[in-house]
Amino acid sequence: MERELAGSLPLLQKRGFMELERYQTSRQKPAAVNLAPLDELQKQLREGGIETVALREIDGERTRLELYRCNTVIWRDMPHEAHVEWQDPPFDIFTRSIFERPAVLLDSFFVARDGDHIVGLSYLLRRPDGDAEVGDTGVLSSHRRRGIARVLKMLVTRWAAQQGIPVVHTDNRADNAGMLAINRELGFQPGEVVIVLEKTMASPTAI
Ligand SMILES: CC(C)(COP(=O)(O)OP(=O)(O)OC[C@H]1O[C@@H](n2cnc3c(N)ncnc32)[C@H](O)[C@@H]1OP(=O)(O)O)[C@@H](O)C(=O)NCCC(=O)NCCS
């Protein structure tokens, strides 16, 4: 946590740890969010050729392939350190991680479609205490700044409010200006900043 860093940093640095990234945690009370503009915003997207729908409504083989294609691109697009290697999971493992993972609140899963192509997604994960946390949110770079993420997150928020989920938690890399702006707009209140430190261990050949 950021508030503990000042005390522990000298020791951590002496031990070879370096700061890797920072995450801003935040919490939203879905029932307190003003969702009055949602229907109009959704209509405007529809008029511009973008449908926003519950994943359940369009589930099927083709949708699952589209979801895989979209989500793997979005993962690679999330702000991350240049040296971090990333490997996409195989299709069947991805599919199970969404459709068969108990933590995934499948009814909270909304996607944006441009024709047959999924271009954006957002969903929640269950927490054991009855709260929820944000899963992934993302929009393909070809479709950004059209208000798609805003509408998807509003749909997720409306669902959470209807379910009586008291609090939704999230954390975002502190340099993810877009996601932080949308979350602020949707009532997420900032909490602790989590700092990730890294130490590269010497490889056996280097000793
Ligand atoms: C963050 C992300 C989901 C935003 O999707 P989007 O559909 O372009 O967002 P919207 O068009 O709904 O943006 C709504 C508002 O958020 C803010 N915003 C969005 N992107 C922004 C950016 N890059 N910088 C600053 N503000 C931004 C703006 O206020 C915007 O309203 P405006 O366009 O009227 O100014 C998208 O950039 C993305 O998929 N990024 C990669 C994946 C990712 O980082 N996901 C989050 C991981 S925690």
Side-chain angles (χ1 to χ4, degrees), residues 88-153:
D88 291 334
F91 172 67
D92 59 327
I93 289 181
F94 168 80
T95 304
R96 273 192 278 141
S97 79
I98 300 292
F99 292 91
E100 291 170 37
R101 181 153 53 115
V104 174
L105 288 160
L106 258 189
D107 290 323
S108 76
F109 206 127
F110 289 88
V111 296
R113 275 197 307 182
D114 185 349
D116 282 345
H117 292 300
I118 293 182
V119 297
L121 57 94
S122 189
Y123 67 97
L124 298 178
L125 299 165
R126 195 189 314 273
R127 281 202 173 186
D129 60 0
D131 287 355
E133 66 187 73
V134 177
D136 292 327
T137 297
V139 171
L140 295 184
S141 55
S142 52
H143 286 70
R144 291 199 187 136
R145 295 313 278 265
R146 293 170 64 176
I148 296 176
R150 179 189 283 123
V151 165
L152 288 172
K153 288 218 66 153

Short mmCIF file of all heavy atoms in Angstrom, two decimals, residues 88-153:
data_model
loop_
_atom_site.label_atom_id
_atom_site.label_comp_id
_atom_site.label_asym_id
_atom_site.label_seq_id
_atom_site.Cartn_x
_atom_site.Cartn_y
_atom_site.Cartn_z
N ASP A 88 -1.58 -15.74 -24.86
CA ASP A 88 -3.03 -15.96 -24.84
C ASP A 88 -3.32 -17.41 -24.44
O ASP A 88 -2.63 -18.32 -24.90
CB ASP A 88 -3.62 -15.73 -26.24
CG ASP A 88 -3.56 -14.27 -26.63
OD1 ASP A 88 -3.54 -13.42 -25.73
OD2 ASP A 88 -3.54 -13.99 -27.84
N PRO A 89 -4.35 -17.62 -23.62
CA PRO A 89 -4.73 -19.01 -23.33
C PRO A 89 -5.36 -19.63 -24.57
O PRO A 89 -5.91 -18.91 -25.41
CB PRO A 89 -5.77 -18.85 -22.21
CG PRO A 89 -6.35 -17.49 -22.42
CD PRO A 89 -5.26 -16.64 -23.00
N PRO A 90 -5.34 -20.97 -24.68
CA PRO A 90 -6.07 -21.60 -25.79
C PRO A 90 -7.57 -21.29 -25.66
O PRO A 90 -8.06 -21.01 -24.56
CB PRO A 90 -5.80 -23.09 -25.61
CG PRO A 90 -4.70 -23.19 -24.62
CD PRO A 90 -4.67 -21.93 -23.83
N PHE A 91 -8.28 -21.38 -26.77
CA PHE A 91 -9.71 -21.04 -26.81
C PHE A 91 -10.53 -21.79 -25.75
O PHE A 91 -11.34 -21.19 -25.05
CB PHE A 91 -10.26 -21.33 -28.22
CG PHE A 91 -11.75 -21.19 -28.32
CD1 PHE A 91 -12.36 -19.96 -28.16
CD2 PHE A 91 -12.55 -22.31 -28.53
CE1 PHE A 91 -13.74 -19.83 -28.23
CE2 PHE A 91 -13.93 -22.19 -28.61
CZ PHE A 91 -14.53 -20.95 -28.46
N ASP A 92 -10.28 -23.11 -25.61
CA ASP A 92 -11.14 -23.87 -24.69
C ASP A 92 -10.89 -23.47 -23.23
O ASP A 92 -11.83 -23.41 -22.42
CB ASP A 92 -10.99 -25.39 -24.89
CG ASP A 92 -9.57 -25.85 -24.68
OD1 ASP A 92 -8.65 -25.07 -25.01
OD2 ASP A 92 -9.38 -26.95 -24.15
N ILE A 93 -9.67 -23.12 -22.91
CA ILE A 93 -9.39 -22.70 -21.52
C ILE A 93 -10.00 -21.32 -21.28
O ILE A 93 -10.61 -21.07 -20.23
CB ILE A 93 -7.87 -22.72 -21.25
CG1 ILE A 93 -7.43 -24.18 -21.22
CG2 ILE A 93 -7.52 -21.99 -19.94
CD1 ILE A 93 -5.99 -24.41 -20.95
N PHE A 94 -9.89 -20.44 -22.25
CA PHE A 94 -10.54 -19.13 -22.11
C PHE A 94 -12.04 -19.32 -21.89
O PHE A 94 -12.63 -18.73 -20.97
CB PHE A 94 -10.30 -18.29 -23.37
CG PHE A 94 -11.17 -17.07 -23.42
CD1 PHE A 94 -10.84 -15.93 -22.69
CD2 PHE A 94 -12.35 -17.07 -24.16
CE1 PHE A 94 -11.67 -14.81 -22.71
CE2 PHE A 94 -13.18 -15.95 -24.17
CZ PHE A 94 -12.84 -14.82 -23.44
N THR A 95 -12.66 -20.13 -22.72
CA THR A 95 -14.12 -20.32 -22.66
C THR A 95 -14.55 -20.86 -21.29
O THR A 95 -15.50 -20.38 -20.69
CB THR A 95 -14.58 -21.25 -23.79
OG1 THR A 95 -14.13 -20.68 -25.01
CG2 THR A 95 -16.09 -21.40 -23.83
N ARG A 96 -13.77 -21.83 -20.79
CA ARG A 96 -14.11 -22.37 -19.47
C ARG A 96 -13.92 -21.30 -18.39
O ARG A 96 -14.68 -21.24 -17.43
CB ARG A 96 -13.26 -23.60 -19.16
CG ARG A 96 -13.92 -24.88 -19.73
CD ARG A 96 -13.27 -26.11 -19.20
NE ARG A 96 -12.05 -26.40 -19.95
CZ ARG A 96 -10.92 -26.86 -19.42
NH1 ARG A 96 -10.83 -27.08 -18.13
NH2 ARG A 96 -9.88 -27.09 -20.17
N SER A 97 -12.91 -20.46 -18.58
CA SER A 97 -12.63 -19.45 -17.54
C SER A 97 -13.74 -18.40 -17.47
O SER A 97 -13.85 -17.66 -16.49
CB SER A 97 -11.28 -18.77 -17.79
OG SER A 97 -11.41 -17.79 -18.81
N ILE A 98 -14.54 -18.32 -18.50
CA ILE A 98 -15.69 -17.39 -18.47
C ILE A 98 -16.97 -18.15 -18.12
O ILE A 98 -17.68 -17.80 -17.17
CB ILE A 98 -15.87 -16.69 -19.84
CG1 ILE A 98 -14.63 -15.88 -20.22
CG2 ILE A 98 -17.15 -15.81 -19.84
CD1 ILE A 98 -14.37 -14.67 -19.36
N PHE A 99 -17.27 -19.20 -18.88
CA PHE A 99 -18.59 -19.82 -18.78
C PHE A 99 -18.69 -20.86 -17.66
O PHE A 99 -19.78 -21.24 -17.29
CB PHE A 99 -18.99 -20.44 -20.13
CG PHE A 99 -19.24 -19.40 -21.18
CD1 PHE A 99 -18.22 -18.97 -22.01
CD2 PHE A 99 -20.48 -18.80 -21.30
CE1 PHE A 99 -18.43 -17.99 -22.96
CE2 PHE A 99 -20.71 -17.81 -22.25
CZ PHE A 99 -19.68 -17.40 -23.08
N GLU A 100 -17.56 -21.34 -17.16
CA GLU A 100 -17.63 -22.38 -16.12
C GLU A 100 -16.96 -21.97 -14.82
O GLU A 100 -16.87 -22.78 -13.90
CB GLU A 100 -17.02 -23.68 -16.64
CG GLU A 100 -17.88 -24.31 -17.73
CD GLU A 100 -17.18 -25.45 -18.42
OE1 GLU A 100 -16.46 -26.21 -17.73
OE2 GLU A 100 -17.33 -25.58 -19.65
N ARG A 101 -16.45 -20.76 -14.75
CA ARG A 101 -15.79 -20.33 -13.50
C ARG A 101 -16.85 -19.82 -12.55
O ARG A 101 -17.59 -18.88 -12.88
CB ARG A 101 -14.77 -19.24 -13.81
CG ARG A 101 -14.02 -18.75 -12.58
CD ARG A 101 -12.64 -18.22 -12.94
NE ARG A 101 -12.67 -17.21 -13.97
CZ ARG A 101 -12.32 -15.93 -13.81
NH1 ARG A 101 -11.94 -15.50 -12.62
NH2 ARG A 101 -12.35 -15.09 -14.80
N PRO A 102 -16.97 -20.42 -11.37
CA PRO A 102 -18.05 -20.02 -10.47
C PRO A 102 -18.03 -18.54 -10.10
O PRO A 102 -19.07 -17.95 -9.87
CB PRO A 102 -17.81 -20.88 -9.22
CG PRO A 102 -16.96 -22.02 -9.69
CD PRO A 102 -16.16 -21.52 -10.85
N ALA A 103 -16.84 -17.93 -10.07
CA ALA A 103 -16.77 -16.52 -9.66
C ALA A 103 -17.38 -15.57 -10.70
O ALA A 103 -17.80 -14.47 -10.37
CB ALA A 103 -15.32 -16.11 -9.41
N VAL A 104 -17.46 -16.01 -11.95
CA VAL A 104 -17.96 -15.10 -12.99
C VAL A 104 -19.47 -14.95 -12.86
O VAL A 104 -20.21 -15.94 -12.88
CB VAL A 104 -17.59 -15.61 -14.40
CG1 VAL A 104 -18.25 -14.75 -15.48
CG2 VAL A 104 -16.08 -15.63 -14.59
N LEU A 105 -19.93 -13.71 -12.73
CA LEU A 105 -21.38 -13.45 -12.69
C LEU A 105 -21.83 -13.28 -14.14
O LEU A 105 -21.82 -12.18 -14.70
CB LEU A 105 -21.65 -12.19 -11.86
CG LEU A 105 -21.43 -12.37 -10.35
CD1 LEU A 105 -21.23 -11.04 -9.64
CD2 LEU A 105 -22.61 -13.13 -9.74
N LEU A 106 -22.21 -14.42 -14.74
CA LEU A 106 -22.48 -14.42 -16.19
C LEU A 106 -23.61 -13.47 -16.58
O LEU A 106 -23.60 -12.89 -17.66
CB LEU A 106 -22.84 -15.83 -16.63
CG LEU A 106 -21.74 -16.64 -17.34
CD1 LEU A 106 -22.32 -17.92 -17.90
CD2 LEU A 106 -21.05 -15.83 -18.44
N ASP A 107 -24.59 -13.31 -15.68
CA ASP A 107 -25.70 -12.41 -16.02
C ASP A 107 -25.29 -10.95 -16.01
O ASP A 107 -26.02 -10.09 -16.50
CB ASP A 107 -26.87 -12.62 -15.04
CG ASP A 107 -27.52 -13.97 -15.27
OD1 ASP A 107 -27.61 -14.39 -16.44
OD2 ASP A 107 -27.91 -14.62 -14.28
N SER A 108 -24.11 -10.66 -15.45
CA SER A 108 -23.62 -9.27 -15.43
C SER A 108 -22.79 -8.96 -16.68
O SER A 108 -22.27 -7.86 -16.82
CB SER A 108 -22.74 -9.03 -14.21
OG SER A 108 -21.46 -9.61 -14.39
N PHE A 109 -22.65 -9.94 -17.56
CA PHE A 109 -21.72 -9.82 -18.69
C PHE A 109 -22.41 -9.15 -19.88
O PHE A 109 -23.33 -9.72 -20.45
CB PHE A 109 -21.23 -11.23 -19.07
CG PHE A 109 -19.88 -11.27 -19.73
CD1 PHE A 109 -18.89 -12.10 -19.23
CD2 PHE A 109 -19.59 -10.51 -20.84
CE1 PHE A 109 -17.64 -12.16 -19.82
CE2 PHE A 109 -18.35 -10.55 -21.44
CZ PHE A 109 -17.37 -11.38 -20.94
N PHE A 110 -21.95 -7.97 -20.22
CA PHE A 110 -22.52 -7.24 -21.37
C PHE A 110 -21.45 -7.05 -22.44
O PHE A 110 -20.26 -6.86 -22.11
CB PHE A 110 -23.08 -5.88 -20.92
CG PHE A 110 -24.33 -6.03 -20.09
CD1 PHE A 110 -24.25 -6.20 -18.72
CD2 PHE A 110 -25.59 -6.05 -20.70
CE1 PHE A 110 -25.40 -6.38 -17.95
CE2 PHE A 110 -26.74 -6.21 -19.94
CZ PHE A 110 -26.65 -6.38 -18.57
N VAL A 111 -21.89 -7.13 -23.69
CA VAL A 111 -20.95 -6.92 -24.80
C VAL A 111 -21.51 -5.90 -25.78
O VAL A 111 -22.72 -5.66 -25.84
CB VAL A 111 -20.66 -8.24 -25.57
CG1 VAL A 111 -19.96 -9.25 -24.68
CG2 VAL A 111 -21.92 -8.84 -26.18
N ALA A 112 -20.59 -5.29 -26.54
CA ALA A 112 -20.99 -4.39 -27.62
C ALA A 112 -20.67 -5.09 -28.93
O ALA A 112 -19.62 -5.72 -29.06
CB ALA A 112 -20.21 -3.08 -27.52
N ARG A 113 -21.60 -5.00 -29.87
CA ARG A 113 -21.41 -5.65 -31.17
C ARG A 113 -21.52 -4.65 -32.30
O ARG A 113 -22.43 -3.81 -32.32
CB ARG A 113 -22.53 -6.69 -31.40
CG ARG A 113 -22.25 -8.02 -30.78
CD ARG A 113 -23.13 -9.08 -31.36
NE ARG A 113 -24.55 -8.75 -31.29
CZ ARG A 113 -25.51 -9.54 -31.69
NH1 ARG A 113 -25.23 -10.72 -32.20
NH2 ARG A 113 -26.77 -9.18 -31.60
N ASP A 114 -20.60 -4.77 -33.25
CA ASP A 114 -20.69 -4.01 -34.49
C ASP A 114 -20.97 -5.07 -35.55
O ASP A 114 -20.06 -5.82 -35.92
CB ASP A 114 -19.36 -3.28 -34.74
CG ASP A 114 -19.43 -2.38 -35.96
OD1 ASP A 114 -20.41 -2.48 -36.73
OD2 ASP A 114 -18.51 -1.57 -36.14
N GLY A 115 -22.20 -5.17 -35.99
CA GLY A 115 -22.58 -6.31 -36.84
C GLY A 115 -22.40 -7.58 -36.03
O GLY A 115 -22.85 -7.66 -34.89
N ASP A 116 -21.66 -8.56 -36.60
CA ASP A 116 -21.44 -9.83 -35.89
C ASP A 116 -20.23 -9.77 -34.97
O ASP A 116 -19.96 -10.73 -34.24
CB ASP A 116 -21.19 -10.94 -36.92
CG ASP A 116 -22.50 -11.40 -37.53
OD1 ASP A 116 -23.56 -11.08 -36.97
OD2 ASP A 116 -22.44 -12.07 -38.59
N HIS A 117 -19.49 -8.67 -35.03
CA HIS A 117 -18.23 -8.64 -34.29
C HIS A 117 -18.38 -8.03 -32.90
O HIS A 117 -18.94 -6.93 -32.76
CB HIS A 117 -17.17 -7.84 -35.06
CG HIS A 117 -16.76 -8.51 -36.32
ND1 HIS A 117 -16.18 -9.77 -36.33
CD2 HIS A 117 -16.84 -8.12 -37.60
CE1 HIS A 117 -15.93 -10.12 -37.58
NE2 HIS A 117 -16.34 -9.15 -38.38
N ILE A 118 -17.86 -8.74 -31.91
CA ILE A 118 -17.84 -8.18 -30.56
C ILE A 118 -16.69 -7.18 -30.48
O ILE A 118 -15.55 -7.50 -30.84
CB ILE A 118 -17.70 -9.29 -29.49
CG1 ILE A 118 -18.97 -10.16 -29.49
CG2 ILE A 118 -17.45 -8.69 -28.10
CD1 ILE A 118 -19.00 -11.26 -28.46
N VAL A 119 -17.01 -5.96 -30.04
CA VAL A 119 -16.00 -4.90 -30.02
C VAL A 119 -15.77 -4.34 -28.61
O VAL A 119 -14.91 -3.49 -28.41
CB VAL A 119 -16.37 -3.74 -30.99
CG1 VAL A 119 -16.39 -4.24 -32.42
CG2 VAL A 119 -17.70 -3.09 -30.61
N GLY A 120 -16.54 -4.83 -27.63
CA GLY A 120 -16.35 -4.35 -26.27
C GLY A 120 -17.02 -5.27 -25.28
O GLY A 120 -17.94 -6.03 -25.64
N LEU A 121 -16.56 -5.23 -24.03
CA LEU A 121 -17.14 -6.12 -23.01
C LEU A 121 -16.92 -5.55 -21.62
O LEU A 121 -16.00 -4.76 -21.39
CB LEU A 121 -16.50 -7.51 -23.11
CG LEU A 121 -14.97 -7.59 -22.98
CD1 LEU A 121 -14.54 -7.86 -21.56
CD2 LEU A 121 -14.43 -8.66 -23.91
N SER A 122 -17.77 -5.97 -20.71
CA SER A 122 -17.61 -5.63 -19.29
C SER A 122 -18.43 -6.61 -18.45
O SER A 122 -19.53 -6.99 -18.84
CB SER A 122 -18.09 -4.20 -19.02
OG SER A 122 -17.74 -3.80 -17.71
N TYR A 123 -17.87 -7.02 -17.31
CA TYR A 123 -18.60 -7.96 -16.45
C TYR A 123 -18.05 -7.91 -15.03
O TYR A 123 -17.01 -7.31 -14.77
CB TYR A 123 -18.54 -9.39 -16.99
CG TYR A 123 -17.16 -10.02 -16.98
CD1 TYR A 123 -16.77 -10.87 -15.94
CD2 TYR A 123 -16.27 -9.77 -18.00
CE1 TYR A 123 -15.51 -11.46 -15.92
CE2 TYR A 123 -15.01 -10.35 -17.99
CZ TYR A 123 -14.64 -11.19 -16.96
OH TYR A 123 -13.38 -11.76 -16.95
N LEU A 124 -18.76 -8.59 -14.14
CA LEU A 124 -18.39 -8.62 -12.72
C LEU A 124 -18.04 -10.03 -12.27
O LEU A 124 -18.49 -11.02 -12.86
CB LEU A 124 -19.56 -8.13 -11.86
CG LEU A 124 -20.02 -6.69 -12.06
CD1 LEU A 124 -21.22 -6.40 -11.16
CD2 LEU A 124 -18.89 -5.71 -11.78
N LEU A 125 -17.27 -10.06 -11.19
CA LEU A 125 -16.95 -11.32 -10.51
C LEU A 125 -17.58 -11.29 -9.12
O LEU A 125 -17.69 -10.23 -8.50
CB LEU A 125 -15.44 -11.47 -10.35
CG LEU A 125 -14.64 -11.50 -11.66
CD1 LEU A 125 -13.15 -11.28 -11.36
CD2 LEU A 125 -14.85 -12.81 -12.39
N ARG A 126 -17.96 -12.48 -8.65
CA ARG A 126 -18.57 -12.61 -7.33
C ARG A 126 -17.50 -12.52 -6.24
O ARG A 126 -16.41 -13.04 -6.41
CB ARG A 126 -19.17 -14.02 -7.30
CG ARG A 126 -20.15 -14.36 -6.25
CD ARG A 126 -20.44 -15.87 -6.29
NE ARG A 126 -20.68 -16.43 -7.64
CZ ARG A 126 -21.87 -16.46 -8.23
NH1 ARG A 126 -22.92 -15.99 -7.63
NH2 ARG A 126 -22.00 -17.00 -9.45
N ARG A 127 -17.83 -11.87 -5.14
CA ARG A 127 -16.98 -11.96 -3.95
C ARG A 127 -17.73 -12.76 -2.90
O ARG A 127 -18.95 -12.65 -2.81
CB ARG A 127 -16.68 -10.57 -3.39
CG ARG A 127 -15.60 -9.85 -4.15
CD ARG A 127 -14.98 -8.77 -3.29
NE ARG A 127 -13.83 -8.21 -3.97
CZ ARG A 127 -13.01 -7.32 -3.42
NH1 ARG A 127 -13.22 -6.88 -2.21
NH2 ARG A 127 -11.98 -6.87 -4.09
N PRO A 128 -17.02 -13.51 -2.08
CA PRO A 128 -17.70 -14.38 -1.11
C PRO A 128 -18.60 -13.62 -0.14
O PRO A 128 -19.57 -14.16 0.37
CB PRO A 128 -16.56 -15.05 -0.34
CG PRO A 128 -15.33 -14.80 -1.12
CD PRO A 128 -15.56 -13.63 -2.03
N ASP A 129 -18.31 -12.34 0.12
CA ASP A 129 -19.10 -11.59 1.10
C ASP A 129 -20.34 -10.93 0.52
O ASP A 129 -21.01 -10.15 1.20
CB ASP A 129 -18.22 -10.52 1.76
CG ASP A 129 -17.67 -9.51 0.75
OD1 ASP A 129 -17.98 -9.65 -0.45
OD2 ASP A 129 -16.95 -8.59 1.16
N GLY A 130 -20.65 -11.20 -0.76
CA GLY A 130 -21.85 -10.61 -1.36
C GLY A 130 -21.56 -9.36 -2.19
O GLY A 130 -22.40 -8.91 -2.96
N ASP A 131 -20.36 -8.78 -2.02
CA ASP A 131 -19.94 -7.71 -2.91
C ASP A 131 -19.52 -8.32 -4.25
O ASP A 131 -19.52 -9.55 -4.41
CB ASP A 131 -18.73 -6.96 -2.32
CG ASP A 131 -19.11 -6.07 -1.12
OD1 ASP A 131 -20.32 -5.96 -0.83
OD2 ASP A 131 -18.19 -5.51 -0.50
N ALA A 132 -19.15 -7.45 -5.19
CA ALA A 132 -18.65 -7.95 -6.48
C ALA A 132 -17.40 -7.16 -6.82
O ALA A 132 -17.12 -6.12 -6.22
CB ALA A 132 -19.71 -7.76 -7.55
N GLU A 133 -16.65 -7.69 -7.80
CA GLU A 133 -15.53 -6.91 -8.30
C GLU A 133 -15.55 -6.93 -9.82
O GLU A 133 -16.09 -7.86 -10.43
CB GLU A 133 -14.20 -7.38 -7.74
CG GLU A 133 -13.78 -8.75 -8.18
CD GLU A 133 -12.52 -9.19 -7.43
OE1 GLU A 133 -12.63 -9.50 -6.22
OE2 GLU A 133 -11.47 -9.20 -8.07
N VAL A 134 -14.97 -5.89 -10.40
CA VAL A 134 -14.98 -5.78 -11.85
C VAL A 134 -14.08 -6.86 -12.44
O VAL A 134 -12.97 -7.08 -11.96
CB VAL A 134 -14.50 -4.37 -12.27
CG1 VAL A 134 -14.43 -4.25 -13.78
CG2 VAL A 134 -15.43 -3.30 -11.69
N GLY A 135 -14.60 -7.55 -13.47
CA GLY A 135 -13.76 -8.48 -14.23
C GLY A 135 -12.98 -7.64 -15.24
O GLY A 135 -12.33 -6.67 -14.87
N ASP A 136 -13.08 -7.95 -16.51
CA ASP A 136 -12.44 -7.10 -17.51
C ASP A 136 -13.44 -6.08 -18.05
O ASP A 136 -14.64 -6.36 -18.12
CB ASP A 136 -11.95 -7.93 -18.70
CG ASP A 136 -10.80 -8.83 -18.31
OD1 ASP A 136 -10.01 -8.44 -17.44
OD2 ASP A 136 -10.72 -9.94 -18.88
N THR A 137 -12.92 -4.93 -18.44
CA THR A 137 -13.69 -3.98 -19.25
C THR A 137 -12.77 -3.56 -20.38
O THR A 137 -11.59 -3.29 -20.14
CB THR A 137 -14.07 -2.73 -18.44
OG1 THR A 137 -14.93 -3.11 -17.37
CG2 THR A 137 -14.82 -1.71 -19.32
N GLY A 138 -13.28 -3.52 -21.58
CA GLY A 138 -12.43 -3.05 -22.68
C GLY A 138 -13.22 -2.89 -23.96
O GLY A 138 -14.30 -3.46 -24.14
N VAL A 139 -12.66 -2.06 -24.83
CA VAL A 139 -13.26 -1.78 -26.14
C VAL A 139 -12.11 -1.84 -27.15
O VAL A 139 -11.01 -1.33 -26.86
CB VAL A 139 -13.93 -0.38 -26.13
CG1 VAL A 139 -14.36 0.03 -27.54
CG2 VAL A 139 -15.12 -0.37 -25.18
N LEU A 140 -12.34 -2.45 -28.30
CA LEU A 140 -11.28 -2.54 -29.31
C LEU A 140 -10.85 -1.13 -29.73
O LEU A 140 -11.69 -0.22 -29.81
CB LEU A 140 -11.76 -3.32 -30.54
CG LEU A 140 -12.10 -4.80 -30.32
CD1 LEU A 140 -12.47 -5.45 -31.65
CD2 LEU A 140 -10.93 -5.55 -29.67
N SER A 141 -9.57 -0.97 -30.03
CA SER A 141 -9.05 0.39 -30.29
C SER A 141 -9.77 1.04 -31.47
O SER A 141 -9.92 2.26 -31.52
CB SER A 141 -7.55 0.35 -30.52
OG SER A 141 -7.23 -0.55 -31.53
N SER A 142 -10.24 0.22 -32.42
CA SER A 142 -10.96 0.75 -33.58
C SER A 142 -12.29 1.42 -33.20
O SER A 142 -12.87 2.15 -34.00
CB SER A 142 -11.27 -0.39 -34.56
OG SER A 142 -11.90 -1.45 -33.87
N HIS A 143 -12.78 1.17 -31.98
CA HIS A 143 -14.11 1.64 -31.60
C HIS A 143 -14.12 2.55 -30.37
O HIS A 143 -15.17 2.76 -29.77
CB HIS A 143 -15.03 0.44 -31.36
CG HIS A 143 -15.45 -0.24 -32.64
ND1 HIS A 143 -14.57 -0.97 -33.40
CD2 HIS A 143 -16.63 -0.26 -33.28
CE1 HIS A 143 -15.21 -1.42 -34.47
NE2 HIS A 143 -16.46 -1.02 -34.43
N ARG A 144 -12.96 3.06 -30.00
CA ARG A 144 -12.91 3.85 -28.76
C ARG A 144 -13.43 5.28 -28.93
O ARG A 144 -13.57 5.77 -30.03
CB ARG A 144 -11.45 3.90 -28.25
CG ARG A 144 -11.05 2.53 -27.78
CD ARG A 144 -9.86 2.52 -26.86
NE ARG A 144 -9.52 1.10 -26.66
CZ ARG A 144 -8.29 0.62 -26.69
NH1 ARG A 144 -7.27 1.44 -26.84
NH2 ARG A 144 -8.08 -0.67 -26.54
N ARG A 145 -13.70 5.90 -27.80
CA ARG A 145 -14.18 7.28 -27.68
C ARG A 145 -15.51 7.49 -28.39
O ARG A 145 -15.79 8.55 -28.91
CB ARG A 145 -13.13 8.28 -28.20
CG ARG A 145 -11.85 8.30 -27.38
CD ARG A 145 -12.04 8.38 -25.89
NE ARG A 145 -12.30 9.69 -25.35
CZ ARG A 145 -11.36 10.49 -24.86
NH1 ARG A 145 -10.11 10.11 -24.81
NH2 ARG A 145 -11.69 11.66 -24.37
N ARG A 146 -16.33 6.45 -28.38
CA ARG A 146 -17.70 6.59 -28.88
C ARG A 146 -18.71 6.38 -27.76
O ARG A 146 -19.90 6.27 -28.01
CB ARG A 146 -17.94 5.57 -30.00
CG ARG A 146 -17.12 5.86 -31.24
CD ARG A 146 -17.18 4.74 -32.25
NE ARG A 146 -18.50 4.50 -32.81
CZ ARG A 146 -18.76 3.62 -33.76
NH1 ARG A 146 -17.78 2.91 -34.29
NH2 ARG A 146 -19.99 3.44 -34.20
N GLY A 147 -18.21 6.25 -26.54
CA GLY A 147 -19.10 6.05 -25.40
C GLY A 147 -19.51 4.60 -25.18
O GLY A 147 -20.44 4.33 -24.42
N ILE A 148 -18.77 3.66 -25.80
CA ILE A 148 -19.16 2.25 -25.67
C ILE A 148 -18.85 1.72 -24.26
O ILE A 148 -19.72 1.09 -23.62
CB ILE A 148 -18.46 1.38 -26.75
CG1 ILE A 148 -18.96 1.80 -28.13
CG2 ILE A 148 -18.73 -0.11 -26.51
CD1 ILE A 148 -18.29 1.08 -29.30
N ALA A 149 -17.66 2.02 -23.75
CA ALA A 149 -17.32 1.53 -22.40
C ALA A 149 -18.27 2.13 -21.36
O ALA A 149 -18.69 1.45 -20.43
CB ALA A 149 -15.87 1.85 -22.05
N ARG A 150 -18.60 3.40 -21.54
CA ARG A 150 -19.51 4.05 -20.59
C ARG A 150 -20.84 3.30 -20.53
O ARG A 150 -21.34 2.97 -19.45
CB ARG A 150 -19.74 5.49 -21.01
CG ARG A 150 -20.69 6.25 -20.11
CD ARG A 150 -21.06 7.60 -20.69
NE ARG A 150 -20.01 8.59 -20.53
CZ ARG A 150 -19.44 9.27 -21.53
NH1 ARG A 150 -19.81 9.06 -22.77
NH2 ARG A 150 -18.50 10.15 -21.29
N VAL A 151 -21.40 2.99 -21.70
CA VAL A 151 -22.69 2.29 -21.74
C VAL A 151 -22.57 0.88 -21.16
O VAL A 151 -23.41 0.44 -20.37
CB VAL A 151 -23.27 2.27 -23.18
CG1 VAL A 151 -24.41 1.26 -23.30
CG2 VAL A 151 -23.76 3.67 -23.56
N LEU A 152 -21.50 0.18 -21.52
CA LEU A 152 -21.33 -1.19 -20.99
C LEU A 152 -21.24 -1.16 -19.47
O LEU A 152 -21.88 -1.97 -18.78
CB LEU A 152 -20.08 -1.83 -21.58
CG LEU A 152 -20.17 -2.22 -23.06
CD1 LEU A 152 -18.79 -2.66 -23.58
CD2 LEU A 152 -21.19 -3.34 -23.29
N LYS A 153 -20.47 -0.22 -18.94
CA LYS A 153 -20.33 -0.16 -17.48
C LYS A 153 -21.63 0.28 -16.81
O LYS A 153 -21.93 -0.13 -15.69
CB LYS A 153 -19.18 0.78 -17.09
CG LYS A 153 -17.83 0.16 -17.41
CD LYS A 153 -16.78 0.45 -16.37
CE LYS A 153 -17.06 -0.19 -15.04
NZ LYS A 153 -15.86 -0.47 -14.25
#
